Amino acid sequence: MAIAKIDTLELAQQLIRCPSVTPLEAGALDLLQAALSDLGFTCHRLPFAEEDSPEVDNLYARLGSSGPNLCYAGHTDVVPVGDPADWSVDPFAGEVRDGILYGRGAVDMKGSIAAFVGAVSGFLAEGGQPRGSISLLITGDEEDVAINGTRKVLRWLSERDETLDCCLVGEPTSNESLADMVKIGRRGSLNAQLTVYGTQGHTAYPQLADNPVHHLARMLDALASEPLDEGNAHFPPSGLQITSVDVGNPVTNVIPAKATAQFNVRFNDIHSSASVEAWLRKRLDSNIDGSRGARYEMTIRVSGESFLCPPGPWSGLISAAVASVTGRPPELGTTGGTSDARFIKDHCAVAELGLLNATAHKVDEHVSLADLDQLTAIYRAVLEGYQAQ
Ligand SMILES: [Zn+2]
């Protein structure tokens, strides 16, 4: 069967024209499934649902049945556009102006998906034979709660005894120029709400009260004045940012009964959310004077744990592919927010490489056609490097 090459730009435009704001599929997975089926992939649609979360559709496509299985992971869902009137183009038109493709999802991450499919089609059309299998794990549930997406597809794969041997996530990781950074891990994140309870009273008779604001001030100082750690070779130091202090006391002559604060902790792989919580409680316990009954409550919501896939053969292969196209190896970093790589890392070696993140989630999100071409070439070089191993 002759394989027809798929044009990266055309596919990216078609994908952008599907208004697939989470949790809507809006035709984006249908489009990919059709393109991948033409390339010989076996496709599985995997809609998942759960109480209190909307049903979301996913796609797993695999070419070949033997191992090893090289997987590309991505998402076709996009964040909302905000007020369309703020855009200088229709956010779902996939318009090209002066060598730049505009639209919601251009960099995060329909452009990357199109580049990978374009790279695979070129590789196959020119006689490339995958070593083992090539697969794509595409979810429609990354940008929102990520309950019915990658995590459940991975579970479905495990139940079928289907393994991934290495995974490239196409999130936008580039900072200043295309492929200047490959991500090999991510920091964890948690949010805490702290409430200190004291005893209400008259400001003129403090001996009859117990001021929770004074306790809170000392406790927050203890949290913010000392770093959690010093970082390591792959991560900066973990950081704590106090984001709000609230007392809500409208009068000047009453010592309030309680005071609250909230803070966010971004932690590296020296810590887990459990060790961060222990660190926090130790400092809070030793900086509250409970002799007159003051006490605190803290609730913690974990957004994600930190992880690192130490530099190895997979990140090395990707770095070499980047260098062969751009002329310089990428930095291996761990900055930024969270991604589905946090689920995939439990299954195989994972690294992330995609377009520039400068306009992700913004008005007038865009990608240059030159970057689309270059990312296609880099993904192609990854496929060739993997075949040659
Ligand atoms: Zn994304």
Side-chain angles (χ1 to χ4, degrees), residues 269-332:
D269 67 341
I270 298 168
H271 279 287
S272 64
S273 60
S275 74
V276 171
E277 179 167 357
W279 187 94
L280 294 170
R281 289 197 185 277
K282 191 172 160 212
R283 269 148 198 83
L284 295 175
D285 289 343
S286 56
N287 284 281
I288 186 168
D289 174 4
S291 62
R292 299 174 65 206
R295 63 185 179 86
Y296 75 90
E297 280 173 8
M298 179 170 64
T299 54
I300 285 181
R301 201 169 45 80
V302 180
S303 309
E305 296 290 344
S306 59
F307 74 91
L308 177 76
C309 282
W314 181 227
S315 54
L317 189 156
I318 293 170
S319 295
V322 170
S324 75
V325 173
T326 68
R328 49 181 170 64
E331 185 186 339
L332 300 179

Side-chain angles (χ1 to χ4, degrees), residues 8 12 16 72 101 105-116 169-181 183 352-360 365-376 378-379:
T8 297
I16 288 170
Y72 170 91
L101 169 65
V107 293
D108 189 8
M109 53 178 283
K110 289 172 170 175
S112 164
I113 294 173
F116 189 79
V169 177
E171 289 288 354
T173 57
S174 306
N175 296 319
E176 306 286 326
S177 62
L178 185 75
D180 58 1
M181 180 173 280
K183 290 195 179 166
E352 302 178 67
L353 169 62
L355 295 161
L356 290 169
N357 50 38
T359 64
E365 182 174 346
H366 63 268
V367 59
S368 75
L369 304 194
D371 279 2
L372 277 181
D373 278 350
Q374 204 169 44
L375 188 63
T376 307
I378 291 169
Y379 287 164

Side-chain angles (χ1 to χ4, degrees), residues 333-388:
T334 56
T335 55
T338 180
S339 84
D340 277 356
R342 72 189 191 273
F343 305 127
I344 299 166
K345 64 107 170 48
D346 296 331
H347 296 256
C348 65
V350 60
E352 302 178 67
L353 169 62
L355 295 161
L356 290 169
N357 50 38
T359 64
H361 295 203
K362 290 190 184 169
V363 162
D364 285 349
E365 182 174 346
H366 63 268
V367 59
S368 75
L369 304 194
D371 279 2
L372 277 181
D373 278 350
Q374 204 169 44
L375 188 63
T376 307
I378 291 169
Y379 287 164
R380 171 86 181 257
V382 170
L383 293 169
E384 279 164 5
Y386 195 71
Q387 180 191 27

Side-chain angles (χ1 to χ4, degrees), residues 11-315:
L11 182 57
Q13 286 178 298
Q14 289 170 339
L15 286 170
I16 288 170
R17 287 173 191 144
C18 305
S20 50
V21 176
T22 330
L24 301 177
E25 186 272 333
L29 294 177
D30 289 344
L31 194 69
L32 273 182
Q33 179 169 351
L36 292 168
S37 297
D38 286 348
L39 295 177
F41 280 76
T42 303
C43 296
H44 302 269
R45 288 294 277 274
L46 302 164
F48 293 114
E50 201 165 288
E51 229 177 294
D52 300 326
S53 67
E55 178 177 291
V56 184
D57 208 347
N58 302 280
L59 170 68
Y60 177 70
R62 180 169 176 163
L63 180 72
S65 53
S66 61
N69 182 5
L70 182 163
C71 182
Y72 170 91
H75 61 87
T76 47
D77 61 322
V78 294
V79 294
V81 299
D83 184 351
D86 291 339
W87 287 62
S88 47
V89 293
D90 174 349
F92 295 116
E95 201 178 313
V96 175
R97 282 188 190 174
D98 299 327
I100 294 182
L101 169 65
Y102 288 86
R104 176 56 84 226
V107 293
D108 189 8
M109 53 178 283
K110 289 172 170 175
S112 164
I113 294 173
F116 189 79
V117 175
V120 171
S121 76
F123 175 73
L124 297 173
E126 287 162 27
Q129 292 289 333
R131 183 169 69 92
S133 303
I134 300 172
S135 60
L136 288 91
L137 190 172
I138 308 292
T139 180
D141 191 17
E142 196 277 337
E143 294 288 9
D144 197 8
V145 287
I147 288 173
N148 294 312
T150 299
R151 203 171 3 184
K152 288 191 175 162
V153 177
L154 290 167
R155 199 167 71 198
W156 178 86
L157 287 170
S158 296
E159 283 163 7
R160 290 162 52 92
D161 285 329
E162 199 158 329
T163 50
L164 309 180
D165 293 278
C166 53
C167 185
L168 174 61
V169 177
E171 289 288 354
T173 57
S174 306
N175 296 319
E176 306 286 326
S177 62
L178 185 75
D180 58 1
M181 180 173 280
V182 167
K183 290 195 179 166
I184 56 168
R186 296 277 183 144
R187 289 180 299 175
S189 175
L190 65 78
N191 291 295
Q193 170 103 23
L194 174 65
T195 305
V196 179
Y197 298 91
T199 306
Q200 197 186 50
H202 197 303
T203 48
Y205 303 98
Q207 70 277 16
L208 302 176
D210 187 8
N211 194 332
V213 186
H214 293 189
H215 290 296
L216 181 64
R218 278 190 292 271
M219 293 160 84
L220 291 178
D221 184 50
L223 296 183
S225 58
E226 190 190 338
L228 280 87
D229 55 62
E230 288 175 351
N232 58 26
H234 296 293
F235 284 94
S238 301
L240 180 151
Q241 289 298 316
I242 298 164
T243 52
S244 190
V245 175
D246 302 283
V247 179
N249 182 7
V251 296
T252 55
N253 59 354
V254 174
I255 293 168
K258 66 172 185 178
T260 66
Q262 59 187 37
F263 49 90
N264 174 261
V265 183
R266 301 272 164 167
F267 53 96
N268 57 41
D269 67 341
I270 298 168
H271 279 287
S272 64
S273 60
S275 74
V276 171
E277 179 167 357
W279 187 94
L280 294 170
R281 289 197 185 277
K282 191 172 160 212
R283 269 148 198 83
L284 295 175
D285 289 343
S286 56
N287 284 281
I288 186 168
D289 174 4
S291 62
R292 299 174 65 206
R295 63 185 179 86
Y296 75 90
E297 280 173 8
M298 179 170 64
T299 54
I300 285 181
R301 201 169 45 80
V302 180
S303 309
E305 296 290 344
S306 59
F307 74 91
L308 177 76
C309 282
W314 181 227
S315 54

